[in-house]
Amino acid sequence: MSEEMNQVDVRNFEVGDKVSGLVTKVEEKQVIIDISDSKLDGIIPISELSSLHVEKASDAVAVGDQLDLEVLKVEEEALILSKRKVDAEKSWQELEEKFNNGEIFEAEIKDVVKGGLVVDLGVRGFVPASLVEAFFVEDFSEYKGKTMTFKIVELEKDKNRLILSHRAVVEEEKGKQKHQILDSLKAGQVIEGTVQRITDFGAFVDIGGIDGLVHISQLSYEHVDKPSEVVEEGQKVQVKVLSIDRDNERISLSIKETLPGPWSNIAEKAPKGSSLNGVVKRLVSYGAFVELFPGVEGLVHISQISHKHIGTPHEVLKEGQEVQVKVLDVNEQDQRLSLSIKELQEREQEYVIDYELPEESKGFQLGEMIGDQLKNLKK
């Protein structure tokens, strides 16, 4: 082809024109293109092959590839072309749609750089380290070449800025899962969970993607000072759903209510007629409540406290005092125990003076006779 003909063909093109062409040769730093419907050759510099850094042109294209290109520069015998600009223009349109629709899509991690990951979406997409996972990652080296799901969280075409997040996808999925669980839960339901966190006021249990709180009072029938005394992180536990606040996504759980109640088989643990040790927990006007087992209290009626007549239980008992009691009656269904303290105490001996006044003493005063009888008793 003559130089004059080339120059004529060159004049038919302007910067910004869109052309298509076939890759005829791939060199280290550039690619030679046979431009369709023209006798001209085109050249794509390696910097115009991709939005990402390319070490060798063969990493981006191969001989025989049909490419859509844009004219960057018109030279005397050839056109300088860009694949990157055409790819970017198409990509920005698609990416804007994905961004506006909140679409989730897959992409391969092309590179790991300081501060995050790089993705090729026709334009360079950046995933900051904080947006890669919902947890801390110390080393990202194994992420290169990995395909992950992403959402676009920032898009500014004018600044060529595209920020992606995998973490947003994870959290969105977790949110959907949370709502599904919330909708399916019912008060009274018993399910398995895993202790996630322990605090001073209770334990948070994961029940399949959402955490519920087991308040310290719902950990055990026994008194608990520290939740860590009863449960540990990672422990599998059975929990009962007490209540669900769907608006605030709060779930109240109980471990205690999945355990055998303290009154279960109480007739075997405290059979009628048995003698047991207990602690006075509460004093009321009509008696004393004595704790025999954790969560099990029985009533010692005021009439069963002492053989002596007492006005109030406070006269002979105090809270926290250890006492021995006899079980008078057991009612497991109504969770009632009738107890007695006096049944285990000896009645104080009562002396009864039985006498008949002699005939000859009838003139004496009764008081004198009683005095004489007492003297005889002392002897």
Side-chain angles (χ1 to χ4, degrees), residues 45-57 59-60 83-85 87-88 108-113 117-126 144 160 162 164:
I46 192 170
S47 61
E48 292 298 324
L49 283 172
S50 172
S51 60
L52 303 182
H53 175 70
V54 177
E55 289 289 340
K56 297 180 296 180
D59 292 338
K83 176 178 178 294
R84 177 183 64 81
K85 291 193 74 172
D87 290 344
E108 182 184 341
I109 308 300
K110 292 294 185 181
D111 202 3
V112 176
V113 297
L117 310 175
V118 175
V119 176
D120 182 11
L121 295 171
V123 296
R124 182 182 187 272
F126 182 62
K144 187 172 182 178
N160 205 36
L162 181 67
L164 310 176

Short mmCIF file of all heavy atoms in Angstrom, two decimals, residues 45-57 59-60 83-85 87-88 108-113 117-126 144 160 162 164:
data_model
loop_
_atom_site.label_atom_id
_atom_site.label_comp_id
_atom_site.label_asym_id
_atom_site.label_seq_id
_atom_site.Cartn_x
_atom_site.Cartn_y
_atom_site.Cartn_z
N PRO A 45 -1.16 0.88 22.44
CA PRO A 45 -0.07 0.86 23.42
C PRO A 45 -0.50 -0.01 24.62
O PRO A 45 -1.69 -0.10 24.94
CB PRO A 45 0.10 2.32 23.84
CG PRO A 45 -0.57 3.10 22.75
CD PRO A 45 -1.67 2.25 22.24
N ILE A 46 0.44 -0.63 25.27
CA ILE A 46 0.11 -1.51 26.39
C ILE A 46 -0.69 -0.79 27.48
O ILE A 46 -1.54 -1.39 28.14
CB ILE A 46 1.40 -2.14 26.98
CG1 ILE A 46 1.05 -3.28 27.94
CG2 ILE A 46 2.28 -1.08 27.64
CD1 ILE A 46 2.26 -4.09 28.39
N SER A 47 -0.44 0.51 27.64
CA SER A 47 -1.16 1.28 28.68
C SER A 47 -2.63 1.45 28.35
O SER A 47 -3.42 1.82 29.22
CB SER A 47 -0.50 2.65 28.84
OG SER A 47 -0.57 3.37 27.62
N GLU A 48 -3.01 1.21 27.06
CA GLU A 48 -4.40 1.39 26.65
C GLU A 48 -5.15 0.06 26.48
O GLU A 48 -6.24 0.03 25.95
CB GLU A 48 -4.46 2.18 25.34
CG GLU A 48 -4.02 3.62 25.47
CD GLU A 48 -4.91 4.41 26.42
OE1 GLU A 48 -6.13 4.15 26.45
OE2 GLU A 48 -4.39 5.28 27.14
N LEU A 49 -4.54 -1.01 26.96
CA LEU A 49 -5.19 -2.31 26.84
C LEU A 49 -6.19 -2.58 27.96
O LEU A 49 -7.20 -3.23 27.75
CB LEU A 49 -4.12 -3.42 26.83
CG LEU A 49 -3.36 -3.60 25.53
CD1 LEU A 49 -2.22 -4.59 25.73
CD2 LEU A 49 -4.28 -4.09 24.42
N SER A 50 -5.89 -2.09 29.15
CA SER A 50 -6.73 -2.41 30.30
C SER A 50 -6.70 -1.29 31.32
O SER A 50 -5.75 -0.49 31.36
CB SER A 50 -6.23 -3.71 30.95
OG SER A 50 -6.90 -3.97 32.16
N SER A 51 -7.73 -1.26 32.13
CA SER A 51 -7.78 -0.28 33.21
C SER A 51 -6.80 -0.66 34.32
O SER A 51 -6.45 0.16 35.16
CB SER A 51 -9.19 -0.19 33.78
OG SER A 51 -9.59 -1.44 34.30
N LEU A 52 -6.36 -1.91 34.32
CA LEU A 52 -5.39 -2.37 35.29
C LEU A 52 -4.00 -2.37 34.68
O LEU A 52 -3.83 -2.33 33.46
CB LEU A 52 -5.73 -3.79 35.77
CG LEU A 52 -7.12 -4.00 36.37
CD1 LEU A 52 -7.28 -5.43 36.84
CD2 LEU A 52 -7.37 -3.03 37.52
N HIS A 53 -3.01 -2.44 35.55
CA HIS A 53 -1.63 -2.50 35.08
C HIS A 53 -1.37 -3.85 34.39
O HIS A 53 -1.73 -4.90 34.91
CB HIS A 53 -0.66 -2.34 36.26
CG HIS A 53 0.77 -2.51 35.88
ND1 HIS A 53 1.45 -1.59 35.11
CD2 HIS A 53 1.66 -3.53 36.14
CE1 HIS A 53 2.69 -2.00 34.93
NE2 HIS A 53 2.85 -3.18 35.54
N VAL A 54 -0.78 -3.80 33.19
CA VAL A 54 -0.47 -5.01 32.42
C VAL A 54 1.03 -5.08 32.19
O VAL A 54 1.63 -4.14 31.66
CB VAL A 54 -1.22 -5.01 31.06
CG1 VAL A 54 -0.84 -6.24 30.25
CG2 VAL A 54 -2.72 -4.95 31.29
N GLU A 55 1.64 -6.18 32.59
CA GLU A 55 3.09 -6.36 32.41
C GLU A 55 3.44 -6.64 30.95
O GLU A 55 4.38 -6.08 30.39
CB GLU A 55 3.59 -7.51 33.29
CG GLU A 55 3.61 -7.21 34.77
CD GLU A 55 4.69 -6.22 35.15
OE1 GLU A 55 5.65 -6.04 34.35
OE2 GLU A 55 4.58 -5.59 36.21
N LYS A 56 2.68 -7.55 30.31
CA LYS A 56 2.89 -7.92 28.91
C LYS A 56 1.57 -7.80 28.18
O LYS A 56 0.52 -8.12 28.71
CB LYS A 56 3.41 -9.36 28.81
CG LYS A 56 4.77 -9.59 29.46
CD LYS A 56 5.19 -11.05 29.31
CE LYS A 56 4.24 -11.96 30.07
NZ LYS A 56 4.64 -13.39 29.95
N ALA A 57 1.63 -7.35 26.93
CA ALA A 57 0.40 -7.19 26.14
C ALA A 57 -0.34 -8.51 25.99
O ALA A 57 -1.57 -8.54 25.93
CB ALA A 57 0.75 -6.62 24.76
N ASP A 59 -0.89 -10.60 28.13
CA ASP A 59 -1.73 -10.86 29.31
C ASP A 59 -3.15 -10.35 29.11
O ASP A 59 -4.07 -10.76 29.83
CB ASP A 59 -1.13 -10.19 30.55
CG ASP A 59 0.18 -10.82 30.98
OD1 ASP A 59 0.42 -11.99 30.61
OD2 ASP A 59 0.96 -10.15 31.68
N ALA A 60 -3.33 -9.45 28.12
CA ALA A 60 -4.64 -8.82 27.94
C ALA A 60 -5.36 -9.27 26.67
O ALA A 60 -6.59 -9.39 26.67
CB ALA A 60 -4.49 -7.30 27.92
N LYS A 83 -8.25 0.36 23.75
CA LYS A 83 -9.27 -0.63 24.16
C LYS A 83 -9.84 -0.24 25.53
O LYS A 83 -11.01 -0.41 25.79
CB LYS A 83 -8.64 -2.01 24.22
CG LYS A 83 -9.55 -3.12 24.73
CD LYS A 83 -8.83 -4.44 24.70
CE LYS A 83 -9.68 -5.57 25.26
NZ LYS A 83 -9.99 -5.45 26.68
N ARG A 84 -8.99 0.29 26.36
CA ARG A 84 -9.35 0.64 27.73
C ARG A 84 -10.51 1.62 27.77
O ARG A 84 -11.45 1.46 28.57
CB ARG A 84 -8.13 1.23 28.44
CG ARG A 84 -8.39 1.70 29.86
CD ARG A 84 -7.14 2.32 30.44
NE ARG A 84 -6.75 3.53 29.73
CZ ARG A 84 -7.27 4.72 29.92
NH1 ARG A 84 -8.26 4.89 30.80
NH2 ARG A 84 -6.85 5.76 29.23
N LYS A 85 -10.49 2.64 26.93
CA LYS A 85 -11.53 3.67 26.97
C LYS A 85 -12.89 3.14 26.56
O LYS A 85 -13.91 3.50 27.15
CB LYS A 85 -11.12 4.85 26.07
CG LYS A 85 -9.94 5.65 26.60
CD LYS A 85 -9.77 6.97 25.87
CE LYS A 85 -10.83 7.95 26.29
NZ LYS A 85 -10.60 9.30 25.73
N ASP A 87 -13.84 -0.06 26.74
CA ASP A 87 -14.27 -0.97 27.81
C ASP A 87 -14.82 -0.18 29.00
O ASP A 87 -15.85 -0.54 29.59
CB ASP A 87 -13.10 -1.82 28.29
CG ASP A 87 -12.67 -2.85 27.25
OD1 ASP A 87 -13.45 -3.11 26.31
OD2 ASP A 87 -11.57 -3.42 27.39
N ALA A 88 -14.12 0.91 29.31
CA ALA A 88 -14.53 1.72 30.46
C ALA A 88 -15.89 2.36 30.23
O ALA A 88 -16.75 2.38 31.13
CB ALA A 88 -13.48 2.78 30.75
N GLU A 108 -13.67 -11.25 39.97
CA GLU A 108 -12.42 -11.88 40.40
C GLU A 108 -11.46 -10.84 40.94
O GLU A 108 -11.35 -9.73 40.40
CB GLU A 108 -11.78 -12.61 39.21
CG GLU A 108 -10.50 -13.33 39.57
CD GLU A 108 -9.82 -13.95 38.35
OE1 GLU A 108 -10.50 -14.13 37.32
OE2 GLU A 108 -8.60 -14.24 38.44
N ILE A 109 -10.79 -11.20 42.02
CA ILE A 109 -9.76 -10.31 42.58
C ILE A 109 -8.52 -10.39 41.70
O ILE A 109 -7.91 -11.44 41.57
CB ILE A 109 -9.39 -10.72 44.02
CG1 ILE A 109 -10.64 -10.85 44.90
CG2 ILE A 109 -8.40 -9.73 44.62
CD1 ILE A 109 -11.45 -9.61 45.04
N LYS A 110 -8.16 -9.26 41.07
CA LYS A 110 -7.02 -9.24 40.15
C LYS A 110 -5.71 -8.95 40.85
O LYS A 110 -4.65 -9.39 40.40
CB LYS A 110 -7.25 -8.19 39.05
CG LYS A 110 -8.36 -8.54 38.09
CD LYS A 110 -8.01 -9.77 37.27
CE LYS A 110 -9.07 -10.05 36.21
NZ LYS A 110 -8.75 -11.25 35.41
N ASP A 111 -5.79 -8.21 41.94
CA ASP A 111 -4.54 -7.84 42.60
C ASP A 111 -4.80 -7.50 44.06
O ASP A 111 -5.90 -7.11 44.43
CB ASP A 111 -3.90 -6.63 41.89
CG ASP A 111 -2.42 -6.53 42.13
OD1 ASP A 111 -1.86 -7.42 42.82
OD2 ASP A 111 -1.80 -5.56 41.65
N VAL A 112 -3.76 -7.67 44.86
CA VAL A 112 -3.78 -7.28 46.27
C VAL A 112 -2.79 -6.13 46.42
O VAL A 112 -1.61 -6.28 46.10
CB VAL A 112 -3.39 -8.45 47.19
CG1 VAL A 112 -3.33 -7.99 48.64
CG2 VAL A 112 -4.37 -9.61 47.04
N VAL A 113 -3.29 -4.99 46.88
CA VAL A 113 -2.43 -3.81 47.03
C VAL A 113 -2.52 -3.32 48.47
O VAL A 113 -3.32 -3.82 49.26
CB VAL A 113 -2.86 -2.69 46.06
CG1 VAL A 113 -2.68 -3.14 44.62
CG2 VAL A 113 -4.31 -2.28 46.31
N LEU A 117 -8.05 -4.53 47.93
CA LEU A 117 -8.04 -5.43 46.77
C LEU A 117 -8.45 -4.67 45.52
O LEU A 117 -9.18 -3.67 45.59
CB LEU A 117 -9.02 -6.59 46.99
CG LEU A 117 -8.92 -7.36 48.31
CD1 LEU A 117 -10.04 -8.40 48.40
CD2 LEU A 117 -7.56 -8.02 48.45
N VAL A 118 -7.98 -5.15 44.36
CA VAL A 118 -8.31 -4.53 43.07
C VAL A 118 -9.10 -5.51 42.22
O VAL A 118 -8.75 -6.69 42.12
CB VAL A 118 -7.03 -4.09 42.32
CG1 VAL A 118 -7.38 -3.57 40.93
CG2 VAL A 118 -6.29 -3.03 43.11
N VAL A 119 -10.17 -5.00 41.61
CA VAL A 119 -11.05 -5.80 40.76
C VAL A 119 -11.15 -5.12 39.40
O VAL A 119 -11.26 -3.90 39.31
CB VAL A 119 -12.45 -5.93 41.40
CG1 VAL A 119 -13.39 -6.68 40.49
CG2 VAL A 119 -12.36 -6.62 42.75
N ASP A 120 -11.12 -5.93 38.32
CA ASP A 120 -11.28 -5.39 36.97
C ASP A 120 -12.71 -5.56 36.52
O ASP A 120 -13.19 -6.66 36.30
CB ASP A 120 -10.33 -6.11 36.00
CG ASP A 120 -10.41 -5.54 34.59
OD1 ASP A 120 -11.04 -4.46 34.43
OD2 ASP A 120 -9.87 -6.15 33.67
N LEU A 121 -13.41 -4.43 36.37
CA LEU A 121 -14.79 -4.45 35.90
C LEU A 121 -14.92 -3.63 34.62
O LEU A 121 -15.95 -3.01 34.36
CB LEU A 121 -15.72 -3.90 36.98
CG LEU A 121 -15.82 -4.72 38.26
CD1 LEU A 121 -16.59 -3.97 39.32
CD2 LEU A 121 -16.47 -6.07 37.99
N GLY A 122 -13.85 -3.63 33.85
CA GLY A 122 -13.79 -2.74 32.70
C GLY A 122 -13.19 -1.42 33.13
O GLY A 122 -12.55 -0.71 32.36
N VAL A 123 -13.38 -1.09 34.37
CA VAL A 123 -12.69 0.01 35.03
C VAL A 123 -12.12 -0.58 36.32
O VAL A 123 -12.55 -1.64 36.78
CB VAL A 123 -13.63 1.20 35.34
CG1 VAL A 123 -14.14 1.81 34.05
CG2 VAL A 123 -14.78 0.77 36.22
N ARG A 124 -11.21 0.11 36.90
CA ARG A 124 -10.58 -0.39 38.13
C ARG A 124 -11.52 -0.20 39.32
O ARG A 124 -11.94 0.91 39.62
CB ARG A 124 -9.27 0.37 38.37
CG ARG A 124 -8.48 -0.08 39.59
CD ARG A 124 -7.23 0.79 39.71
NE ARG A 124 -6.33 0.33 40.76
CZ ARG A 124 -6.41 0.69 42.04
NH1 ARG A 124 -7.36 1.51 42.44
NH2 ARG A 124 -5.53 0.23 42.91
N GLY A 125 -11.84 -1.30 39.95
CA GLY A 125 -12.63 -1.24 41.15
C GLY A 125 -11.76 -1.52 42.36
O GLY A 125 -10.89 -2.41 42.32
N PHE A 126 -11.98 -0.77 43.44
CA PHE A 126 -11.14 -0.94 44.64
C PHE A 126 -12.01 -1.38 45.81
O PHE A 126 -13.10 -0.85 46.04
CB PHE A 126 -10.44 0.39 44.97
CG PHE A 126 -9.52 0.28 46.16
CD1 PHE A 126 -8.42 -0.56 46.16
CD2 PHE A 126 -9.77 1.04 47.30
CE1 PHE A 126 -7.58 -0.66 47.26
CE2 PHE A 126 -8.93 0.95 48.41
CZ PHE A 126 -7.83 0.10 48.39
N LYS A 144 -6.01 -13.12 46.07
CA LYS A 144 -5.74 -12.90 44.65
C LYS A 144 -6.21 -14.10 43.83
O LYS A 144 -5.91 -15.24 44.15
CB LYS A 144 -4.25 -12.66 44.41
CG LYS A 144 -3.94 -12.25 42.97
CD LYS A 144 -2.49 -11.83 42.81
CE LYS A 144 -2.21 -11.37 41.38
NZ LYS A 144 -0.82 -10.92 41.19
N ASN A 160 -13.24 8.79 38.17
CA ASN A 160 -12.81 7.42 37.92
C ASN A 160 -12.72 6.63 39.24
O ASN A 160 -11.80 5.84 39.46
CB ASN A 160 -11.45 7.41 37.20
CG ASN A 160 -11.25 6.15 36.39
OD1 ASN A 160 -12.19 5.62 35.81
ND2 ASN A 160 -10.03 5.64 36.38
N LEU A 162 -14.42 3.99 41.85
CA LEU A 162 -15.36 2.90 42.00
C LEU A 162 -14.97 2.08 43.24
O LEU A 162 -13.93 1.43 43.27
CB LEU A 162 -15.33 1.99 40.75
CG LEU A 162 -16.29 0.81 40.76
CD1 LEU A 162 -17.74 1.29 40.69
CD2 LEU A 162 -16.00 -0.13 39.59
N LEU A 164 -15.98 -0.86 45.94
CA LEU A 164 -16.80 -2.06 46.08
C LEU A 164 -16.74 -2.57 47.52
O LEU A 164 -15.80 -2.27 48.26
CB LEU A 164 -16.30 -3.17 45.15
CG LEU A 164 -16.09 -2.80 43.68
CD1 LEU A 164 -15.51 -3.97 42.92
CD2 LEU A 164 -17.40 -2.35 43.05
#
